[in-house]
Each structure stands twice: as structure tokens, then as C-alpha cells.
């Protein structure tokens, strides 16, 4: 199938599919015309990629894991137990991020609970948060 059909069936953009190919996650055949040609297995692969991305994994980690996820029923092939330590590390990284975000949310909740308006001398335009773009201060 061509890239447009795979994108439609997988529910992703063609741009995402090209990115997955650049990252070595998808390996389509090429037709003599130069068009990409994806087999049916590519649909399963894209679903796995999307699932692993939604779990917070980066494409380098996903590239290591994909060969160990042979089908839709196997979570991790028994031939790849060495990946478990790496996955545990990724889980710890995500847990630490959640803890940092939870702490940030708690601080915001406390600030919001005070309900007081900002002093006129330091008031900011509506929608402005922090001193830098994106609301991050250093």
C-alpha cells in the first residue's frame, strides 16, 4: 500500500510516517517509480509505534523494542529480556517527571487558592505567565 493509504488506515499523518522512516522505525519497499510501498505488517508496526510513543518512550528506545513486539498479542518477546532494565529506567524517568509536575501543580494550586490580584507594579498582560516564553523561569 502507498503512504497515503497507510496513513489513513493507521490514523496518522503521512508526515508522521516519513518521520518514523527517518528514525528507522518503518522500512518500506520502494517501487520503481520511487513511491514507498508498505506491506500489511506496517499497519501493525505503526500501531505499536503509536502505543510506545504514548507510553512516553523516545524513538531510539522504540527502535530497540519494536523487534521484540512481533504481533498484536505479544507484549514483549521472551527473546528480549535485556530490554526490561531499560524499560524500568524509562518508567523511573516518567515517574520522576510526574512527581515534578505534581509538585508544580501543587504550588500553582496554593497560589490560586490565595485568590489575591497581582500588585499593579508587577501586573502582567492577560495570559502571561512567568518571565519567559512558555512560562518557564530560570
Amino acid at each position: 500500500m502507498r503512504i497515503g493509504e497507510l496513513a489513513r488506515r493507521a490514523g496518522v499523518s503521512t508526515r508522521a510516517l516519513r518521520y518514523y522512516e527517518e528514525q528507522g522505525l518503518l522500512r518500506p519497499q520502494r517501487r520503481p517509480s520511487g513511491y514507498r510501498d508498505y506491506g500489511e505488517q506496517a499497519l501493525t508496526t505503526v500501531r505499536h509505534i503509536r502505543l510506545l510513543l504514548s507510553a512516553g518512550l523516545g524513538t531510539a528506545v522504540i527502535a530497540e523494542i519494536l523487534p521484540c513486539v512481533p504481533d498484536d498479542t505479544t507484549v514483549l518477546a521472551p527473546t528480549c529480556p535485556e530490554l526490561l532494565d531499560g524499560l524500568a529506567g524509562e518508567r523511573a524517568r516518567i515517574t520522576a517527571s510526574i512527581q515534578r509536575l505534581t509538585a508544580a501543580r501543587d504550588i500553582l494550586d496554593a497560589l490560586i487558592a490565595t485568590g489575591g490580584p497581582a500588585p499593579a507594579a508587577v501586573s502582567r498582560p492577560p495570559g502571561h505567565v512567568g518571565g519567559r516564553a512558555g512560562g518557564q523561569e530560570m
Side-chain angles (χ1 to χ4, degrees):
M1 80 187 91
R2 291 186 35 192
I3 193 168
E5 181 182 351
L6 177 59
R8 181 185 54 75
R9 289 179 62 192
V12 300
S13 67
T14 57
R15 182 176 179 206
L17 295 176
R18 288 186 192 99
Y19 176 73
Y20 300 158
E21 184 181 348
E22 287 172 13
Q23 299 301 305
L25 304 176
L26 278 178
R27 292 177 187 87
Q29 299 294 315
R30 291 287 184 159
R31 294 181 180 184
S33 62
Y35 287 115
R36 292 168 177 87
D37 189 24
Y38 295 93
E40 282 297 316
Q41 179 61 33
L43 187 57
T44 301
T45 301
V46 171
R47 287 183 184 137
H48 291 157
I49 292 167
R50 302 290 293 170
L51 175 68
L52 295 168
L53 285 170
S54 71
L57 300 176
T59 56
V61 174
I62 292 172
E64 291 180 45
I65 293 173
L66 276 178
C68 297
V69 186
D71 54 47
D72 281 337
T73 59
T74 306
V75 176
L76 195 61
T79 57
C80 300
E82 70 279 3
L83 291 178
L84 294 178
D85 287 340
L87 290 173
E90 287 296 317
R91 185 183 188 286
R93 180 188 61 79
I94 290 168
T95 299
S97 293
I98 290 169
Q99 290 169 341
R100 284 190 302 275
L101 288 170
T102 300
R105 184 193 61 206
D106 292 346
I107 291 168
L108 288 172
D109 286 346
L111 291 170
I112 291 167
T114 63
V122 293
S123 82
R124 306 267 192 239
H128 178 83
V129 177
R132 290 184 9 178
Q136 297 177 347
E137 300 242 357
M138 297 203 89

